[in-house]
Amino acid sequence: MQNDLLAAAAKAADTSTVVAQAENLRAELNRYAHAYYVLDNPSVPDAEYDRLFSELQRLEETHPELKTVDSPTNRVGGAPLPEFGQVQHAVPMLSLNNGFEDDDVINFDRRAREGLDIQNEIVYAIDLKFDGLAINLRYVDGVFTQAATRGDGFTGEDVTENIRTIRSIPLRLRMDNPPKILDVRGEVLMFKRDFEKLNQRQRDAGAKEFANPRNAAAGSLRQLDSKITAKRTLRFFAYGIGLLEGISVPPSHRALLDWYKQAGIPVCEENALVSGASGLLEFYKAIQTRRDNLDYEIDGVVYKVNDFASQQSLGFVSRAPRFAIAHKFPAQEALTTVLDIEVQVGRTGAITPVARLAPVFVGGVTVTNATLHNEEEIQRKDIRIGDTVSVRRAGDVIPEVVASILEKRPEDSRQFVMPVECPICGSPIQKPEDEAIARCSGGWIKCTAQRKGGLSHFASRKAMNIDGVGEQLIDQLVDKNVVTTAADLYKLGLRALVELDRMAEKSAQNVLSALETSKLTSFPRFIYALGIRHVGESTAKDLAAHFGNTDALMKATEEQLLEVSDVGPVVAKSILRFFSDSLNVELVEQLLASGIHWPAIEVQEKGEQVLAGKTLVLTGTLPTLSRDQATEIIEKAGGKVSGSVSKKTSYLVAGDDAGSKLVKAQELGINILTEAELLQLCSGS
C-alpha cells in the first residue's frame, strides 16, 4: 500500500515537472517569436529557437495531453482542407472611399468638420495602406479561435489554419483579463525580403515565380494545405476592430493600437497623429518619398478621425465610413510599344478598343494589354499602332495607356480604325449620338460575346450566385450551342454537362445542385442579374423596394420609374428599353417558371410613409422586436435606420441596457421612443 502511494506521488511529481517544462518552453518560444517577428529585434540565435521548438515538439508528442491551442507547434500547419468554409462577419468589413488628389483630402476634411459641426482642426490618425489582404482575427477569452478573409465585406473564407502559421500573430493575448470576444482587423502581407527569398526558392525548384508580394501573400494564404503556408513567411499588422464583448472599446484609434501592442498584437510603427488637412498632406508627401525604402509594399495611406465618438457621430455613407478615406499614391507608369489595337465586346455590346503591348512590368505585374476606353479617347490621345506609349495601372488595378511619346513615333505607325461590324457575330456596330461608346447591335441571340458576358454576370456572386458556373463552363455551353439564355441554365441535365470537356459526373452534379440552390434568391439580386444597363446593385435594391414584384416593374411607366430614389432619366429609359423587348420579357417569364423565387416584398402606399425623410437609431434590447424586425418596420414606414446618433437623428428607439447612444440623444435633445411608441407611430394612430 505504501509503495503504491509512493509510486503515485512520484508519478504526480513527474507529471507536474513535465507540465511546468512545457509551459516554460511555450512561454520562451512565444517571447522569442514576439521579439523576432513583431519587434524585429531577435533576442536569441535561430539555432537556439529551433532547439527549443524541437524540444517542445518531442515533449508534446510524448505527452499529447499537454498540447494547448496556443502552442507554438500549431504553427507548422495541419492536415490539408478539402475547401474553405464560409464565415459571416459579426461586424461588416466595409471598404473605404479613395482619394487621389490633394483636393480630395481637403474636401474630406471639410466634410468631416461640417458633419461634426466644428471649426477647429480635427485630430486624425494615419496608417499605411498595405498592399496585402484584409483579415479578421477572432479571439475568445484571449485565445485565437478563427480567421476569415474580407470576402464581400459580410461573408469571408475561413482561413484559420493558415493564419495560425503566421508567427507574428499571438495565439493567446498577453493580458490578464482578456475580453470575451475580440475581432481584430488587419492586413496579412509579405515583406519584400521574404518575397525575394520565396521567388528564389521557386526558381531553384523550376516553379513559377510570383509577380509581387501581394500575389505571393494571397497565394500563400489560400493554400488548402496549411503546411505550405507555414513554409512562407507572412506578416500581420492590425489597424482596426470589429466585434468587442466583455470590456469597453478604447476611446480612440491611437488608444486602440496602443492597447493592441500591449496585448502582443503586431502594429505597424509607421503611423501618426496629425491635425487638419495640412497635417494629412504633409505626412502623405513624406511617406511617399520613403516608400521604396520600406520593408513592405504600400499603395497609399489611410486617414481616420482619431476619436471613436466622433467616428460614430459621422457614421457611414453607403458601404463606406464618412470618418475615413484612403489616399492612394499615383499609379506607377512605364514605357512600352503598341503592337496592335483590337476590340473586345462586352456583355452589353460595348465595343472597347484594347492595346496589345510589348510586355512591360508596371505596378508589380507584367502588362501585355491595356484599355483604350473608346474611339474618341484614342483620337484625343493620338495613340497609333507602333507608338511608344506610357502605361499605368489606373487605381493600381486596370492597365491604361496614358499617352503616346511623339518623339519616338516610327514612320510606319498606323492609325486605328473602328470596325463597322462586330468581330464576333458580324452585326453592325452602332454608336448613338448621345453616347461615347459604340455597341454591337446583335444582342444576346446573335452575339456570343454578349451572351457569354451576360451569362457570366447572371451567375456571378452578387447576382444569382451559382457556384461552379464560371467563364470556362459558360464558354463551352455557348460555343456548343447548349445554352442561349439564362433560362436555359435551369434546363440543363446531367448528360449535357457530362459531355463537356473536363466535366466529370460529380462536377456536373455539383453544378446542377448549385443551380437548384440559386432558385431561392432575393428580388434585388434577380433584378441585378438581368443585366439591365445602368442598373447596379444599389439601384436594383431601390427598384425592388419600390415595385415589390416583376409585374409592377415590367409595366412601370417612365414617370413611375422616376419616382424611385436615385433613378434618373437615363436609367429610367434603359429600364423601359429593356422591358420593351419581348425577348427580355419572355426571359423573365421563363426564369420564374423554372422555379426562381424569393420572399415576398410588401410595398407601402405613399400615404403610409409616416416616417418619410426621418432617420432613426436603435439602441438596447427591445421587448419583443429584434433589430432586423424593428428596422423592417421603420423602412416600411418610409424611415431610414442609422447606426450612430447625430443632430440629423429624428428619433432614438431605446430598449433595455441602452448605452452611450441614449446619453448622446438626451444631450442633443432628440426624441426618444419606446418600442410601443414606435409601433404606435408607424401605425399612424
Side-chain angles (χ1 to χ4, degrees), residues 83 140 180 182 215 221 334 338 368 373 525 531 601 624 645:
E83 59 183 359
V140 177
K180 179 65 178 176
L182 169 62
N215 286 354
L221 199 59
V338 178
T368 56
H373 299 292
R525 277 180 174 268
I601 297 176
T624 65
V645 176

Side-chain angles (χ1 to χ4, degrees), residues 2 12 81 90 93 155 340 365 377 402 480 490 518 613:
Q2 187 176 4
L81 299 172
M93 297 182 70
T155 303
D340 201 357
V365 300
E377 185 77 354
V402 180
K480 296 184 178 182
Y490 295 96
S518 74

